[in-house]
Amino acid sequence: MQNSAVFVPHFHWDREWYEPFQVFRHRLVAALDTVLETAEANPDFRFTADGQMAAIEDYLEMRPENRDRVVALVADGRLAIGPWLILLDEFLCSGETIVRNLQMGWAAAADLGGPMPVGYLPDMFGHVAQMPQILARAGIRHAALWRGVPGSVGGHAFRWRAPDGSEVRTEFLFDGYDNGLDVLLVPDHIRRALGEYAEMTAERWGDDPVLAMAGTDHNAPDPQLATWLRRASSDELAITIATLDEYIREHVRDEVSALVTGELRSHVRGNILPGVLSVRLALKQRMAVAERTIDHAERVNALWSQRDDSPFLMLAWHKIIESSAHDSVVGSGTDETSDQVEARLAEATHAGRAVRDAALAEPAALVPSDAYLVANPLPFPRTALAEVDVVAPPEGTVIVATAADGSAHPVQMISQAPTVLSDEHMDASQLERVLRRIHRRELFGRLIDHYELTPGSLVFHLAEVPTSGPFDLLILRREVAAAAAAHPGRWRVLTLEEARATALVPVDVPASGLASFRVEPSDRTGAHPTTFAPATATAHGLSNGLVEVAIAADGTLDVAGADGTALHGVGRLIDGGDRGDSYNYAPPAQDVLVSEPTDVTVELLENGPLRSRMRVTRVYAWPAALSSERDVRSGRTVPTPVETLVEVRAGEPFVRVATSFLNQSADHRLRFHVPLPEPAAASASAGQFAVTERGLTAEGGWGEYPIPTFPASSFVSAGAANVLLDHATEYELVGDGSELAITLLRAIGSISVNIHPLRDEPAASEIPAPGAQDLGVRIENRFAVVPSATGWQGANVVALAEEFRNDVLVARGTAPAEGHLPPDATGVQVDGADILVSSIRRVDDDDRGAGTEVRLVAMSDTGSTARVTGAFTEATTVDLLGRPLSTTPVADGLELALGPWEIRTVVIR
């Protein structure tokens, strides 16, 4: 039996969950008031502040006068803060967001005296494969966590290894982060209870002292805790109070033999609650949009702007990281909590968009106003499609897009706008009211090019870019007043816009670079064609020479790749009941699966040459809800049209697919199926700096059925099918590996249910969450399908996923019209197979000055060589906290030999 125990007083603080943030913060302030008072009254007391600085920041915003008290306790080693800004859900944000979370948390803790150097991850619903590398490259040697650890770990610690080989010693909180509370239930019997607990768990501890985590959710430890423990301590069972950092540094062996490699998603010692991956779809989509927007903003700000917008970028990152909390983006909170998270992510997006647009405005000022600027956020050159508004050409006119070098590309016209904006009849006395609509020169969102004033008629001609010279509103007012006086009675006021159209333009854009073009008529018969085969369409199919799509009679897709690989029945939709909650899916006992549509229509929308599109509309009769006993799907069905937009573009080796429907049913799960030519025994999905392989099953053994649904962020691959993703989602290999199923919607109505068929214990209180049913909400998903017999690496899916997720950025020029187009410009270029560039941003160093930080990841198990080129003469390798490691002069590009799955960060100047 153990003869010593270490108690770690702490709390776990969900920033928002079954109550919104401000309600929980009110409790937080009272709890931390108690912690400070307890610590100052008792020198033996220690407190670990949940590993997240958000709790401290939220507290000090309400109690700024207590900052010095916090600093004093941190300096004395009695208050452990950081290293995270917030305890995140690791699978529902990007790897870059995880890094920024750690960076911002570390910096905030450093300002208050120093962070706890332990990767504390107590309550996340599983852990990503690259977390050990992220911690190790920030100089953190230890982690502590609970959920997801496999059954092979028999002790209380293990070596956790990332795919690149990085390791951290990991304390396994096998009984949860509140295991010490049970022995504290009766303060007078702590010695006996602790002895019994130590004896029960002796095999876990070996020669190390028992770790008793003395804390739980949303409550400060009892102020008498230290007194109780002093009284309970004895020679037979000595008790110490410590922070978690002190326990790991001073009380346990550093060397452990148990080794676990990769992600932690086992159910064997704790629920990992996989249903959060697909509940409240809007939160997952808004997280992806926010992350993408701020990433683009950082890149164009660093490379093309003279303005340092770091305060706005930091604000946006802070709001994204706040939203990544493990009870926030997961959607397991109340409706009002989820609404707040959604609004916060929108704010982050708005801040990022402002920086992005301001940065683009600087080079756009060199582009004539009758032309467009295109920015490529990706660090490799590409030919991309830009969709722009142009003056509609006369019938039969050849229209091209002219680039800065004089080359011309064909343009695809895809729509034309109406030219009559208003046609009104009124008495002459009312003409002054019409003039009030004009703001200087703007009318109805356009600019007045010229006007025609004749007796009884006033005609405005509007344009996006006026060509008729100056316009004087005061002169117009005087002329109209005179005409109205001279010709009383009925007048006609006609507002005409120049004929406008929407054009698709192929643009060659350099790596991280800028290009510009002008759409104009051409008398040249040899307009430079694209280097790609055209996208074409027939009544029932699309093709571009690289991928071919045929629409089957049931509305599914037969997709063939360039290597002849064929996928049949892509997009089969299967809808079933869901009697679960926000944490776990559960089928009703008498489920009804709906897979066949009642009606199918196919409509050709566009027929190349740059983009071809078809719309497939399938109508399904989905049950309206579950019955009152929750185990039978209703006999009443709701006819629900599901639109599927199918698209191929010239030069792309994949078919783009977007689904859309108005959800009118409750308590159901809808999945998009991709049948495989041959059953697959494993899948692989990309996210958080790694591609993780998984089998057909998950490890069970706790109180939760190990349903093998898994997370994917940028793509998922199984057999010959590769699906590129817009946002983090959930997938499963079903039918013994014969089909890949991607969840489009889980509609449920409760945070948790008390009796759950696939989970032994409630995950929370049974609180209604009607908003999670998404009733009356249009549900939209987009992805792309890449057929390939060579798997994700052979098909270059890492790069394709980046192209799919990151459109080029387009801005109208603002220089005087009809001027010369500026030459194309290249930013930072990164070449190398399976290289992911996670971030390009502006950084500043007190010693070396401003630089551009580039973070790269080798997304393969063989490593890769990356070549970085651009306008720089030195490169400094830094760790994930930005601390310099080595500096190299650069003459002609930087060669970086990256090991398998290695994350490398360099600052170029």
Side-chain angles (χ1 to χ4, degrees):
M1 189 181 79
Q2 301 303 302
N3 60 8
S4 63
V6 177
F7 278 74
V8 174
H10 76 103
F11 57 36
H12 173 54
W13 207 273
D14 301 296
R15 196 167 185 262
E16 54 204 355
W17 181 18
Y18 56 82
E19 294 282 11
F21 162 58
Q22 295 295 357
V23 175
F24 267 155
R25 172 149 72 171
H26 193 270
R27 301 180 191 176
L28 170 71
V29 170
L32 280 176
D33 280 345
T34 299
V35 167
L36 296 187
E37 292 164 5
T38 301
E40 290 167 344
N42 193 328
D44 292 341
F45 185 76
R46 303 284 191 273
F47 188 77
T48 299
D50 205 27
Q52 56 177 335
M53 282 302 299
I56 303 299
E57 288 186 349
D58 293 342
Y59 175 74
L60 290 179
E61 189 175 2
M62 295 293 105
R63 293 277 195 269
E65 68 277 10
N66 288 344
R67 187 180 191 279
D68 290 345
R69 297 171 68 191
V70 170
V71 169
L73 290 171
V74 172
D76 202 27
R78 295 193 293 133
L79 177 61
I81 59 174
W84 300 102
L85 178 58
I86 208 157
L87 294 182
L88 71 163
D89 185 284
E90 299 167 31
F91 292 98
L92 291 175
C93 64
S94 69
E96 190 61 33
T97 295
I98 297 175
V99 171
R100 302 303 179 91
N101 187 340
L102 186 57
Q103 289 177 344
M104 294 178 74
W106 192 275
D111 285 345
L112 295 175
M116 174 177 71
V118 177
Y120 187 48
L121 305 161
D123 198 28
M124 288 73 164
F125 307 153
H127 304 278
V128 297
Q130 287 280 38
M131 183 58 77
Q133 185 180 180
I134 292 171
L135 295 174
R137 287 183 181 264
I140 298 174
R141 297 174 49 243
H142 298 275
L145 50 83
W146 167 31
R147 303 184 196 264
V149 178
S152 59
V153 175
H156 70 97
F158 61 95
R159 290 155 45 218
W160 186 15
R161 179 180 293 170
D164 77 311
S166 300
E167 291 184 8
V168 289
R169 181 198 178 277
T170 303
E171 188 66 28
F172 177 26
L173 309 176
F174 61 89
D175 267 349
Y177 54 79
D178 59 355
N179 69 314
L181 290 188
D182 286 348
V183 305
L184 300 175
L185 289 175
V186 182
D188 290 339
H189 294 165
I190 290 176
R191 186 182 307 169
R192 174 194 56 77
L194 181 58
E196 291 175 357
Y197 179 76
E199 185 174 2
M200 275 192 319
T201 57
E203 289 187 1
R204 288 274 181 187
W205 304 110
D207 296 329
D208 292 332
V210 170
L211 170 62
M213 298 294 291
T216 189
D217 297 359
H218 319 134
N219 284 285
D222 193 290
Q224 299 301 309
L225 175 63
T227 301
W228 298 342
L229 295 179
R230 274 197 305 270
R231 193 166 63 226
S233 183
S234 66
D235 292 339
E236 292 79 23
L237 190 54
I239 296 175
T240 304
I241 299 179
T243 63
L244 181 61
D245 179 34
E246 288 175 323
Y247 171 78
I248 290 172
R249 280 189 295 107
E250 301 175 8
H251 296 282
V252 298
R253 293 169 292 120
D254 197 35
E255 296 298 324
V256 292
S257 59
L259 173 66
V260 179
T261 299
E263 71 175 0
L264 306 180
R265 287 196 64 83
S266 170
H267 305 253
V268 73
R269 289 295 305 181
N271 297 334
I272 64 168
L273 311 169
V276 300
L277 296 172
S278 52
V279 75
R280 296 195 192 266
L281 169 69
L283 292 179
K284 282 64 173 176
Q285 292 175 325
R286 279 158 178 72
M287 173 61 77
V289 169
E291 290 176 324
R292 194 154 50 234
T293 303
I294 191 172
D295 177 41
H296 293 174
E298 285 191 328
R299 295 183 189 216
V300 295
N301 178 262
L303 297 174
W304 306 114
S305 175
Q306 299 299 310
R307 174 173 171 163
D308 183 0
D309 267 331
S310 297
F312 287 92
L313 294 169
M314 290 291 286
L315 171 68
W317 271 119
H318 202 288
K319 290 188 177 295
I320 288 173
I321 293 164
E322 288 176 62
S323 303
S324 72
H326 67 287
D327 282 309
S328 297
V329 70
V330 300
S332 61
T334 58
D335 289 350
E336 58 184 349
T337 294
S338 295
D339 290 346
Q340 188 173 23
V341 177
E342 195 170 329
R344 190 184 301 128
L345 286 169
E347 268 196 90
T349 302
H350 300 161
R353 190 175 78 198
V355 173
R356 179 199 68 195
D357 292 352
L360 287 176
E362 295 180 45
L366 304 177
V367 176
S369 59
D370 60 342
Y372 291 87
L373 172 79
V374 178
N376 178 13
L378 298 178
F380 49 82
R382 60 198 288 210
T383 299
L385 292 185
E387 190 169 312
V388 295
D389 177 65
V390 298
V391 176
E395 187 77 25
T397 305
V398 175
I399 299 298
V400 297
T402 305
D405 63 2
S407 62
H409 293 274
V411 169
Q412 178 179 337
M413 309 303 293
I414 57 175
S415 67
Q416 187 157 329
T419 57
V420 178
L421 300 186
S422 71
D423 188 355
E424 303 168 277
H425 295 269
M426 63 190 68
D427 188 80
S429 62
Q430 302 298 308
L431 290 177
E432 174 59 29
R433 297 176 58 189
V434 172
L435 301 185
R436 292 177 198 157
R437 302 170 182 167
I438 303 171
H439 301 276
R440 291 172 291 279
R441 192 169 190 164
E442 180 270 326
L443 176 60
F444 296 160
R446 297 293 187 187
L447 299 177
I448 297 174
D449 183 77
H450 64 282
Y451 59 90
E452 300 169 12
L453 183 60
T454 58
S457 174
L458 173 60
V459 181
F460 292 106
H461 294 270
L462 309 184
E464 188 171 15
V465 180
T467 59
S468 61
F471 168 81
D472 192 322
L473 180 58
L474 294 178
I475 292 176
L476 173 63
R477 287 184 182 279
R478 186 167 63 244
E479 291 178 350
V480 168
H487 303 280
R490 299 290 289 172
W491 276 66
R492 183 189 188 192
V493 179
L494 186 62
T495 305
L496 302 176
E497 181 180 15
E498 62 183 347
R500 307 294 299 180
T502 302
L504 277 178
V505 179
V507 188
D508 299 322
V509 199
S512 304
L514 306 175
S516 57
F517 67 88
R518 177 184 282 117
V519 176
E520 57 191 359
S522 173
D523 55 7
R524 289 188 281 178
T525 57
H528 179 65
T530 62
T531 56
F532 309 120
T536 60
T538 65
H540 292 284
L542 307 170
S543 179
N544 66 359
L546 296 174
V547 65
E548 187 170 319
V549 187
I551 313 296
D554 63 356
T556 61
L557 314 178
D558 294 335
V559 184
D563 65 356
T565 301
L567 304 173
H568 299 283
V570 172
R572 188 165 71 101
L573 299 179
I574 299 183
D575 184 77
D578 191 343
R579 63 144 300 171
D581 51 33
S582 66
Y583 291 102
N584 296 78
Y585 159 78
Q590 299 179 45
D591 202 359
V592 174
L593 298 181
V594 180
S595 61
E596 298 301 321
T598 59
D599 185 62
V600 179
T601 58
V602 179
E603 180 183 3
L604 175 61
L605 301 179
E606 296 174 15
N607 185 8
L610 301 175
R611 184 175 76 187
S612 290
R613 283 177 161 181
M614 306 188 84
R615 180 165 53 225
V616 181
T617 303
R618 291 173 284 178
V619 180
Y620 293 88
W622 290 340
L626 291 181
S627 62
S628 57
E629 64 269 23
R630 307 280 302 156
D631 257 333
V632 179
R633 292 197 85 179
S634 169
R636 184 174 71 85
T637 61
V638 181
T640 305
V642 179
E643 294 182 354
T644 303
L645 185 66
V646 187
E647 173 183 324
V648 297
R649 298 182 180 183
E652 289 186 343
F654 49 81
V655 54
R656 295 171 180 257
V657 180
T659 61
S660 174
F661 64 93
L662 184 68
N663 184 45
Q664 304 170 79
S665 298
D667 312 314
H668 69 126
R669 180 181 69 173
L670 177 67
R671 301 207 284 189
F672 180 100
H673 283 239
V674 181
L676 306 178
E678 297 179 359
S683 63
S685 76
Q688 299 81 35
F689 303 143
V691 178
T692 302
E693 289 198 3
R694 307 179 178 99
L696 300 180
T697 61
E699 184 182 37
W702 183 251
E704 179 179 62
Y705 181 81
I707 182 171
T709 53
F710 298 112
S713 290
S714 60
F715 69 80
V716 57
S717 177
N722 304 278
V723 181
L724 314 181
L725 302 170
D726 172 71
H727 58 272
T729 191
E730 162 197 280
Y731 76 91
E732 181 181 0
L733 273 179
V734 299
D736 295 325
S738 63
E739 294 191 39
L740 176 65
I742 299 169
T743 303
L744 302 185
L745 173 70
R746 278 190 67 231
I748 52 86
S750 181
I751 289 180
S752 176
V753 293
N754 292 335
I755 305 299
H756 193 293
L758 301 185
R759 191 185 64 232
D760 287 352
E761 59 180 322
S765 299
E766 192 168 277
I767 299 173
Q773 296 280 17
D774 281 332
L775 288 169
V777 175
R778 180 153 291 278
I779 304 300
E780 298 178 322
N781 286 273
R782 73 180 190 103
F783 25 83
V785 179
V786 187
S788 173
T790 56
W792 65 269
Q793 284 185 290
N796 196 28
V797 170
V798 169
L800 293 181
E802 286 295 281
E803 289 197 50
F804 174 68
R805 290 164 69 94
N806 295 277
D807 291 332
V808 291
L809 310 174
V810 182
R812 187 71 181 251
T814 56
E818 301 181 356
H820 292 293
L821 298 175
D824 292 356
T826 301
V828 174
Q829 180 162 337
V830 179
D831 297 302
D834 293 327
I835 296 292
L836 172 71
V837 176
S838 175
S839 171
I840 300 174
R841 64 163 176 162
R842 181 197 307 263
V843 294
D844 208 349
D845 184 279
D846 291 340
D847 298 325
R848 289 185 171 86
T852 301
E853 181 187 84
V854 183
R855 190 161 8 264
L856 313 94
V857 187
M859 296 286 282
S860 79
D861 55 9
T862 58
S864 187
T865 297
R867 177 170 171 78
V868 185
T869 53
F872 59 94
T873 57
E874 74 168 30
T876 301
T877 300
V878 299
D879 71 5
L880 281 185
L881 295 178
R883 298 173 296 205
L885 301 174
S886 63
T887 299
T888 306
V890 177
D892 182 27
L894 175 67
E895 296 276 348
L896 296 173
L898 303 181
W901 308 107
E902 180 184 352
I903 304 167
R904 184 84 64 87
T905 309
V906 295
V907 177
I908 53 179
R909 294 182 173 86

